[in-house]
Amino acid sequence: MRNFFRNRVLINTIYMQGKGIVKFFLVVMAIVCVYQYMLILPTNKVENDAEAYAQKVAMNLGDSDITSPQAKAARIAYLDSMSSEEVFKIPLFKSYTYEELKRQQLALGLDLKGGMSVVLQVDLKEFLVALSNESKDPTFLEAMENADKAMISAQSDYVTLFGQEFKKIAGEKRLSSIFSRNPGLRDQINLETSDAEVLSILRTSASETVDLTFKRLKDRIDKLGVVQPNISLDAARDLILVELPGIDNPERARSFLQSAAKLEFWDVYRVSDQGILNGFIEADRRLKRLQSGDTTDLDSTAAPQIQYDTLYTAVLDSLGNPTGDTTTEVVETPILDDPFTDRGPLLQVFDLNSATSQGGTAFPLAVMGVADDNKRNLVDQYLAMPEIKRLFPQDAFFRWGQKPYKDLEGNSSGRYELYALRKKRGTDKPPLAGDHVIRATSQPDPVTQDVAVSLSLDNQGARTWGEITTRAAQDNNREIAILLDDEVVSAPRVNEPILNGDSRISGDFSIQEGKDLANILQIGKLPASTKILHDTVIGPSLGKDNINRSLLSLLVGFVLVIIFMLFYYGGAGIVSIIALLANLFFIFGALASYGTVLTLPGFAGIILTIGMAVDANVIIYERVR
């Protein structure tokens, strides 16, 4: 009997200890779940504000349809602007931006939430051009163009189609004569190599490039922050299928997927360099003559009128001090027309970076001028005209800034800066490219709080960068333009040589933009560029319909279970219903905390879980009865 009571006490002690552990984890799980549900409220507030803003924009445009393209664009723009703004704060614990709050929510799959389904084509045309050592052979170029057209309907890969098209038009010409010029292929291809062997070598190299592009694209998409994206490769046709559930900004996703991260560093011209400013002024004059129909002898200029000025020069002694005497000299000075009084086609849409009344220029010296966003294409067309291009140095070409500059109050002006870049003699390649970047990070400057991207270069890149910055520092601290995908993100002035290969890119980035840029550069330039063949934005109608049906099935099943349990078990049934509600509470809270993606099969699993819980209750209650 004594042993019986001793065992009874031991069992009760173990039971009470186990009960305490269960209570502890129950409290912890309840706190976690309540915390997850609490984050829904500020998220919904931001999204409701976005809907109201989109509705307002649509109404201003005379369209009350919230699903119109203008309203959708307005909603996306509002949410994008709030992505890095603090929208919720727990005192003494943590503050959240909208982007962070969104990532804390229970994610829904494409079938429920909607999102994007994108088919990407790995563009091997540029790849073949690079392997041909930039060949300008007309047969080669025509075969690639024909292969591009055939890709629209063909089920084969690009290299095979290129080989077929080349065979049709080549005649006696052989592929080996084109690709043997590449130093990297000379050990595999010579003038005696057959076209079939060349195509086999190209296909092998292309397959490796496609595979590497696929892998790097997967890494890039992982950096995009999409929860459980689905990425697959169709190697037979060089296609990549990407599914991005829950994407609210399709434009950002498209830009992220297609961006080649072509980072380049270029020397620049200054607007004060000889011939640059006059080149723009003369270009405007010639365009004015062309616009009036006067095309006679555009290269000729009328002799300017002459005025006579008297120059007074102080006489200096042997030590360089003025003696008090002066000499006079009469000089001839041409009278130039003021180009700003009667602007021609160019200067009507493009404001030159000219001198100001304070003695400087309106913009940094590396900026040629500014133009509105919708006028940039027109300026490019003017500057690309042969009779205009020859007014500027042969090694000069123009690129626009990536973002509009900000005014003195920090507001976007909506206008973009134009830069004149300088090529090295005999090549179109930049002095330094992003292939030498080994590490890229983004963080705010501790002093100014401006977001900057820090770069570290490999040994070869550091040596080249040291030569470039040394030359720029010695040339009156000249600027160096940093381009990403042919847009100038920054043109910093070089105050002293940078010899260690570490640099910072500042381009008025938001936190998200700086992070995106650093991620792209960290993954590296894609071996071959990609282009979107087809993309589908799923939802919100399909997703809402699926959600409504799923919730309806969940509620109907739950109500039927409640009715049965209450009818059959009475008071005990009430306890079981409370347990079922707690079960759902913990399921959804736990799924959200784990970052799970919920799909239609997931909803079915939750309903099955409820059924199993009811089944367990029935067994227990029947056992009790």
Side-chain angles (χ1 to χ4, degrees), residues 313-604:
T313 306
V315 178
L316 305 179
D317 60 19
S318 59
L319 297 177
N321 299 316
T323 62
D325 298 327
T326 59
T327 61
T328 60
E329 179 184 4
V330 178
V331 296
E332 296 180 355
T333 304
I335 302 175
L336 299 177
D337 296 333
D338 184 359
F340 304 106
T341 57
D342 184 19
R343 296 172 183 257
L346 177 60
L347 295 186
Q348 287 178 357
V349 297
F350 180 72
D351 291 336
L352 273 176
N353 183 18
S354 54
T356 63
S357 58
Q358 289 78 21
T361 54
F363 299 92
L365 291 173
V367 177
M368 301 295 104
V370 297
D372 294 331
D373 186 16
N374 59 346
K375 302 297 183 183
R376 289 191 293 167
N377 288 337
L378 184 58
V379 174
D380 288 338
Q381 292 174 17
Y382 288 149
L383 296 179
M385 296 172 63
E387 55 267 42
I388 302 301
K389 286 181 67 175
R390 58 174 173 258
L391 296 174
F392 299 95
Q394 292 184 352
D395 59 352
F397 65 103
F398 300 98
R399 290 292 182 268
W400 292 97
Q402 186 184 54
K403 299 173 65 177
Y405 72 90
K406 292 187 176 181
D407 57 25
L408 296 177
E409 297 179 356
N411 300 318
S412 175
S413 64
R415 314 192 77 198
Y416 289 77
E417 299 169 328
L418 182 68
Y419 296 82
L421 311 183
R422 177 182 292 174
K423 300 178 184 177
K424 291 181 67 176
R425 183 174 299 178
T427 180
D428 291 336
K429 295 182 178 180
L432 181 64
D435 299 334
H436 299 286
V437 175
I438 58 177
R439 185 170 60 256
T441 57
S442 172
Q443 64 278 323
D445 187 281
V447 178
T448 65
Q449 295 301 311
D450 293 335
V451 177
V453 177
S454 300
L455 302 179
S456 296
L457 306 176
D458 59 20
N459 292 333
Q460 181 181 349
R463 285 194 299 270
T464 304
W465 185 236
E467 296 171 0
I468 295 172
T469 53
T470 299
R471 185 170 61 248
Q474 294 174 352
D475 188 6
N476 296 318
N477 303 116
R478 188 172 289 267
E479 296 81 6
I480 292 177
I482 303 173
L483 274 71
L484 181 66
D485 293 335
D486 289 330
E487 294 179 328
V488 179
V489 295
S490 181
R493 189 171 183 174
V494 180
N495 296 319
E496 58 185 13
I498 303 173
L499 305 178
N500 61 1
D502 293 333
S503 305
R504 288 167 62 86
I505 300 176
S506 58
D508 190 28
F509 306 117
S510 68
I511 294 177
Q512 188 62 52
E513 289 169 341
K515 186 176 180 180
D516 286 350
L517 174 59
N519 288 338
I520 289 174
L521 297 177
Q522 179 69 37
I523 299 303
K525 178 181 176 180
L526 295 182
S529 61
T530 57
K531 58 184 178 181
I532 294 179
L533 290 184
H534 175 71
D535 68 84
T536 303
V537 179
I538 301 174
S541 58
L542 178 60
K544 276 189 175 179
D545 187 51
N546 286 335
I547 290 175
N548 292 336
R549 292 184 181 183
S550 300
L551 290 177
L552 181 61
S553 64
L554 186 63
L555 291 174
V556 169
F558 197 74
V559 169
L560 291 176
V561 169
I562 289 176
I563 294 174
F564 170 77
M565 296 298 289
L566 291 177
F567 176 76
Y568 194 75
Y569 291 107
I574 296 176
V575 176
S576 68
I577 295 305
I578 295 174
L580 288 179
L581 290 174
N583 190 12
L584 289 177
F585 174 83
F586 288 124
I587 286 177
F588 284 108
L591 289 176
S593 64
Y594 294 150
T596 308
V597 176
L598 185 61
T599 61
L600 279 175
F603 259 116

Side-chain angles (χ1 to χ4, degrees), residues 1 20 55 115 126 143 153 173-174 177 186 211 214 216 268 320 322 350 353 408 433 440 482 565:
M1 182 64 69
Q55 184 72 41
E126 294 181 4
S153 58
K173 188 174 293 185
R174 304 179 68 176
S177 64
R186 285 176 183 169
D211 186 61
F214 170 67
R216 289 194 173 181
V268 302
F350 180 72
N353 183 18
L408 296 177
I482 303 173
M565 296 298 289

